[in-house]
């Protein structure tokens, strides 16, 4: 089958059982990994980028040729750069200097105008704090107003969770034969967890949020407070799991070494969370996780030292 554009390849990723991880750690249960790092932009954010832009064009909020602006840690920006390039929209990605350099270079290669925002005083390179994110948001708002642009706003637009409610969730359920007992995801914008939970929770699947163990952590693109996230307000989850940056690194390296899956920090965080669940409240069950993005986006960080 020949697809009309690369946008049409932003779904249908494989679901793989991590049996080698299970055997090495002697886990009682199964972990199924959704390989969204194989999407065109090398991350799960492609799904939300497509849904937000296509929804805005359909509603008339986004006019032909209008500029799109979004704050990003790099993944959403990459997805938007691809979608905007195909559909004919100039795209401005606004990103903290604390994010890895690979992401900015990739977005520029895809035609995006990348605006890097200096970090807040006291912030560490490679770690984006809440204060850093506020500065990026302020810059994105200013650019949106100056250019008469459409703000893609992954933290507010309903297309974000909808992409996972109608895509990621159903795909996991169908590919697993309905054998999922739990799902967990590291919180970024909250769109993946909210959307997947809306689809899987009514089927009896227990859904968990994964949080970092402290505010200053190396897991880029997430770790924001659930109370501040629109997509997770009023969501009824089974609970939450806390992972450290070190846990995420070790799990990402374990994925690469044993399963040949070259994922990033948040993929490692998701595996670390699933391991905790299978050694605790979900022992004996089947936990699904998403491989959020590619390890290629972290070669300049200490993830692969």
């Amino acid at each position: 089958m020949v697809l009309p554009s690369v946008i049409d390849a932003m779904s249908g990723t494989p679901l793989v059982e991590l049996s080698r991880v299970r055997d090495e750690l002697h886990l009682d249960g199964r972990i199924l990994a959704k390989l969204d790092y194989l999407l065109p932009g090398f991350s799960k954010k492609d799904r939300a980028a497509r849904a937000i832009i296509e929804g805005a064009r359909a509603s008339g909020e986004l006019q032909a040729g209008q500029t799109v602006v979004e704050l990003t840690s790099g993944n959403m920006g990459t997805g938007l750069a691809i979608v905007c390039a195909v559909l004919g929209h100039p795209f401005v990605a606004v990103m903290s200097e604390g994010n890895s350099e690979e992401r900015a270079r990739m977005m520029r290669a895809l035609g995006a105008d990348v605006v890097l925002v200096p970090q807040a005083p006291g912030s560490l390179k490679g770690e984006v704090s809440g204060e850093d994110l506020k500065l990026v948001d302020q810059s994105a708002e200013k650019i949106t107003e100056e250019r008469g642009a459409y703000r893609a706003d992954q933290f507010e637009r309903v297309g974000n969770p909808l992409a996972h409610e109608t895509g990621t969730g159903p795909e996991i359920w169908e590919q697993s034969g309905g054998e999922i007992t739990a799902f967990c995801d590291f919180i970024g914008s909250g769109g993946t967890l909210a959307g997947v939970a809306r689809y899987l929770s009514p089927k009896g699947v227990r859904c968990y949020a994964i949080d970092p163990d402290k505010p200053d952590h190396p897991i880029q693109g997430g770790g924001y407070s659930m109370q501040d996230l629109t997509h997770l307000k009023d969501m009824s989850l089974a609970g939450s799991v806390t992972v450290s940056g070190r846990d995420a690194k070790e799990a990402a390296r374990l994925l690469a070494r044993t399963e040949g899956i070259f994922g990033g920090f948040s993929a490692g965080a998701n595996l670390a969370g699933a391991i905790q669940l299978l050694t605790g409240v979900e022992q004996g069950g089947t936990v699904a996780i998403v491989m959020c993005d590619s390890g290629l986006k972290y070669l300049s960080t200490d993830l692969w030292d």
Side-chain angles (χ1 to χ4, degrees):
M1 179 176 65
V2 178
L3 300 176
S5 78
V6 73
I7 296 175
D8 297 276
M10 291 179 166
S11 63
T13 54
L15 188 69
V16 173
E17 180 163 3
L18 305 184
S19 56
R20 294 155 193 83
V21 168
R22 177 199 63 208
D23 293 346
E24 178 154 328
L25 300 180
H26 307 290
L27 297 173
D28 181 7
R30 304 169 70 200
I31 301 176
L32 305 183
K34 185 76 166 142
L35 304 189
D36 270 19
Y37 78 112
L38 297 179
L39 291 171
F42 307 137
S43 92
K44 67 178 184 179
K45 294 290 190 176
D46 284 10
R47 297 177 184 264
R50 176 185 180 182
I52 289 172
I53 296 303
E54 289 185 342
R57 283 166 60 92
S59 70
E61 288 182 272
L62 176 61
Q63 300 297 311
Q66 186 178 4
T67 297
V68 174
V69 174
E70 178 57 337
L71 70 79
T72 180
S73 66
N75 286 332
M76 185 66 173
T78 300
L80 285 168
I82 293 171
V83 174
C84 288
V86 171
L87 297 179
H89 296 279
F91 173 59
V92 182
V94 189
M95 190 170 77
S96 171
E97 289 183 344
N99 290 117
S100 59
E101 181 183 346
E102 293 89 340
R103 299 174 182 223
R105 294 177 71 178
M106 184 175 181
M107 287 187 287
R108 289 193 184 102
L110 291 165
D113 177 4
V114 180
V115 177
L116 294 178
V117 179
Q119 291 183 270
S123 293
L124 300 176
K125 184 72 173 176
E127 298 179 7
V128 180
S129 68
E131 289 304 310
D132 291 334
L133 193 66
K134 288 179 183 177
L135 294 175
V136 176
D137 183 55
Q138 290 169 7
S139 181
E141 281 297 310
K142 181 180 179 181
I143 293 170
T144 299
E145 183 176 348
E146 289 174 347
R147 304 197 186 187
Y150 172 79
R151 177 73 184 271
D153 203 347
Q154 60 182 305
F155 288 89
E156 297 293 336
R157 302 288 185 185
V158 296
N160 183 355
L162 184 63
H164 301 289
E165 183 179 2
T166 60
T168 313
E171 287 176 24
I172 289 173
W173 184 253
E174 292 164 12
Q175 290 170 323
S176 69
E179 294 185 359
I180 303 298
T181 59
F183 173 80
C184 59
D185 195 60
F186 183 73
I187 299 174
S189 66
T192 305
L193 182 58
V196 172
R198 285 175 193 164
Y199 183 83
L200 292 180
S201 292
K203 299 181 181 299
V205 178
R206 293 173 291 279
C207 297
Y208 298 84
I210 298 178
D211 292 311
D213 63 341
K214 55 184 179 179
D216 52 334
H217 61 89
I219 311 171
Q220 295 183 17
Y224 315 124
S225 171
M226 283 181 59
Q227 288 74 27
D228 298 332
L229 296 173
T230 297
H231 300 317
L232 291 174
K233 284 181 180 175
D234 303 320
M235 288 293 300
S236 180
L237 300 174
S240 63
V241 179
T242 300
V243 301
S244 68
R246 183 172 183 176
D247 291 339
K249 288 179 187 178
E250 290 178 353
R253 293 167 181 171
L254 179 64
L255 273 170
R257 187 177 72 250
T258 62
E259 300 285 357
I261 295 174
F262 196 52
F265 267 114
S266 49
N270 284 349
L271 176 57
I275 291 168
Q276 281 194 44
L277 290 174
L278 286 182
T279 55
V281 294
E282 296 295 336
Q283 186 173 2
T286 299
V287 182
I289 56 176
V290 176
M291 300 290 94
C292 308
D293 69 358
S294 171
L296 292 170
K297 298 187 177 187
Y298 301 88
L299 295 178
S300 65
T301 73
D302 64 355
L303 180 57
W304 305 114
D305 285 354

